[in-house]
């Protein structure tokens, strides 16, 4: 599978060299060390300058989750809510431009900072933690008009749609369709070979999912859980390869629409006016009267 791994910063290249050397003599140890790097965001994304106004306008509360507090944000009057699910090393404020546009068109917006991200402290959680958190969000809200998910948020949203989340329309922006891609892209970026890839997958199964070998299918797009789907993909995205959008579209067939951009990269789509128009128009077309 092509992964389109981007040029890596010095710290990542050094980690790749170290793990590559370890893999040659002790592949199991390399897989364990790789797992510790794979599962940690390493840095918290700050609220960026252009996000400040929208971020400060949110009604902020928290959800209890296993002794921690998950930061929850709401905008608008609560009617016609849209759930926003961010990706890895991200936070709810990254959706500022989309939130602004949604509220201006009579929607409300709901989002949260994932475990270990943004204002939610502690270590990162798994897709199962996201499922439980989203279920708690659902219990507090009116039925969702739609879901907008970015990057790793896409498989999180698809899994939640199979387990209690109901929404009329779903938007996946530069989304991941194959859960195993997260390992493939990680290994490619660090120059790790097939043997470490296999061992890392087994370590993830054992350490995070009670040894379940079916997670790579169970957490992928699968049979396409969205009733109506808009897939937005930049053809030059250097974080999530466009082949992932192909998988998502294929899984949903005639229930999907697609918008391709060129040159916006992985995150600029979230504030591009053309993309914002397409997202709001798509959600409005399926909105309740």
């Amino acid at each position: 599978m092509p992964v389109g791994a981007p040029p890596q910063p010095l710290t990542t290249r050094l980690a790749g060299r170290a793990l590559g050397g370890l893999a040659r003599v002790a592949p199991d140890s390399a897989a364990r060390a790789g797992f510790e790097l794979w599962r940690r965001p390493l840095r918290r994304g700050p609220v960026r300058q252009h996000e400040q106004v929208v971020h400060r306008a949110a009604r902020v509360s928290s959800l209890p989750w296993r002794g921690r507090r998950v930061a929850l944000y709401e905008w608008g009057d609560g009617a016609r809510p849209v759930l926003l699910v961010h990706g890895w090393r991200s936070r709810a404020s990254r959706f500022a431009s989309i939130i602004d546009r949604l509220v201006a068109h009579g929607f409300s917006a709901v989002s949260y900072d994932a475990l270990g991200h943004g204002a939610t402290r502690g270590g990162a959680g798994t897709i199962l933690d996201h499922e439980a958190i989203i279920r708690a969000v659902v219990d507090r809200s009116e039925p969702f008009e739609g879901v907008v998910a970015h990057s790793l948020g896409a498989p999180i949203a698809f899994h939640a749609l199979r387990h209690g989340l109901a929404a009329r329309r779903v938007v996946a922006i530069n989304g991941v369709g194959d859960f195993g891609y997260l390992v493939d892209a990680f290994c490619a970026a660090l120059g790790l070979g097939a043997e470490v890839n296999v061992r890392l997958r087994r370590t993830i199964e054992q350490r995070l999912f009670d040894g379940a070998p079916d997670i790579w299918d169970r957490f992928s797009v699968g049979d396409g859980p969205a009733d109506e789907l808009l897939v937005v993909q930049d053809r030059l995205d250097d974080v999530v390869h466009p082949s992932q959008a192909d998988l998502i579209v294929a899984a949903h067939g005639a229930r999907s629409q697609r918008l391709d951009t060129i040159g916006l990269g992985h995150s600029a789509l979230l504030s591009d006016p053309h993309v914002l128009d397409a997202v709001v128009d798509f959600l409005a077309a399926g909105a309740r009267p």
Side-chain angles (χ1 to χ4, degrees):
M1 175 190 300
V3 296
Q8 297 300 308
L10 177 61
T11 52
T12 303
R13 293 201 302 271
L14 292 176
R17 290 174 189 169
L19 287 174
L22 183 60
R24 287 189 286 274
V25 296
D28 279 334
S29 296
R32 287 193 295 270
F35 169 76
E36 295 301 327
L37 183 61
W38 179 85
R39 70 181 182 131
R40 300 179 190 278
L42 298 180
R43 55 184 167 85
R44 287 178 187 273
V47 179
R48 295 170 179 164
Q49 185 61 40
H50 73 277
E51 302 166 355
Q52 290 285 351
V53 172
V54 172
H55 181 70
R56 289 195 298 267
R59 297 188 302 281
V60 183
S61 58
S62 62
L63 294 168
W65 177 243
R66 295 185 176 179
R68 286 190 270 173
R69 309 295 296 183
V70 176
L72 179 67
Y73 307 91
E74 298 172 89
W75 296 264
D77 61 8
R80 304 170 69 200
V82 175
L83 177 66
L84 309 172
V85 186
H86 70 73
W88 190 246
R89 294 183 182 172
S90 189
R91 60 184 303 149
S93 65
R94 294 294 180 267
F95 290 110
S97 296
I98 291 177
I99 292 163
D100 207 24
R101 189 68 67 92
L102 287 171
V103 173
H105 284 77
F107 290 96
S108 299
V110 180
S111 191
Y112 64 94
D113 288 340
L115 298 174
H117 293 68
T120 301
R121 300 301 172 187
T126 72
I127 196 168
L128 297 177
D129 293 310
H130 280 274
E131 176 197 334
I133 292 166
I134 289 173
R135 193 181 304 119
V137 174
V138 168
D139 290 343
R140 294 173 51 138
S141 177
E142 293 186 21
F144 284 104
E145 293 285 349
V147 177
V148 179
H150 177 236
S151 192
L152 180 58
I156 291 168
F158 292 144
H159 183 70
L161 286 164
R162 295 190 183 96
H163 295 85
L165 173 62
R168 287 172 173 255
R169 294 193 161 204
V170 178
V171 181
I173 302 176
N174 282 351
V176 173
D178 172 22
F179 192 63
Y181 174 84
L182 302 175
V183 177
D184 295 341
F186 174 84
C187 289
L190 271 66
L192 303 175
E195 184 175 10
V196 174
N197 186 310
V198 170
R199 291 172 188 255
L200 176 55
R201 286 176 180 243
R202 300 294 86 80
T203 301
I204 292 167
E205 294 166 7
Q206 295 293 330
R207 296 283 297 276
L208 298 180
F209 300 105
D210 297 324
D214 67 337
I215 59 171
W216 311 106
D217 292 326
R218 181 155 46 107
F219 299 147
S220 295
V221 66
D223 59 1
D227 291 335
E228 297 288 341
L229 175 71
L230 173 63
V231 176
V232 185
Q233 178 68 49
D234 192 82
R235 303 305 297 179
L236 300 180
D237 185 356
D238 62 0
V239 176
V240 175
H241 194 275
S243 61
Q244 294 298 298
D246 299 338
L247 294 176
I248 296 171
V249 169
H252 289 86
R255 291 173 287 136
S256 66
Q257 302 176 33
R258 181 161 181 166
L259 170 64
D260 287 301
T261 65
I262 299 178
L264 292 175
H266 189 62
S267 297
L269 279 77
L270 298 178
S271 57
D272 178 74
H274 180 54
V275 172
L276 297 179
D277 287 342
V279 169
V280 172
D281 289 347
F282 174 76
L283 293 173
R288 294 175 178 85

